[in-house]
Amino acid sequence: MTATACARCRELTDEEREARAVRDQSRAADCRVLRRRHEEAGHPPAPPAS
């Protein structure tokens, strides 16, 4: 991840860090996959919260 990461990348990174802190490896892996897909898609904006 670069220093100029977009807000969605930062959100996913923070969520992954929180998941690892509580030893939720499944959620941490989900965050990594979502961040990678997001980066591969060219960093589109996050979908609006429902």
Side-chain angles (χ1 to χ4, degrees), residues 8-9 12-13 15-16 19-20 25-41 43-44:
R8 182 67 177 146
C9 288
L12 290 168
T13 300
E15 189 173 338
E16 178 188 356
R20 288 187 357 216
Q25 298 304 317
S26 177
R27 191 172 112 213
D30 288 346
C31 291
R32 285 191 300 275
V33 169
L34 289 171
R35 188 177 64 240
R36 184 175 60 238
R37 288 180 183 169
H38 172 75
E39 291 170 348
E40 289 172 354
H43 297 277

Side-chain angles (χ1 to χ4, degrees), residues 2-17:
T2 64
T4 57
C6 72
R8 182 67 177 146
C9 288
R10 287 190 303 270
E11 290 171 7
L12 290 168
T13 300
D14 291 345
E15 189 173 338
E16 178 188 356
R17 187 176 300 121

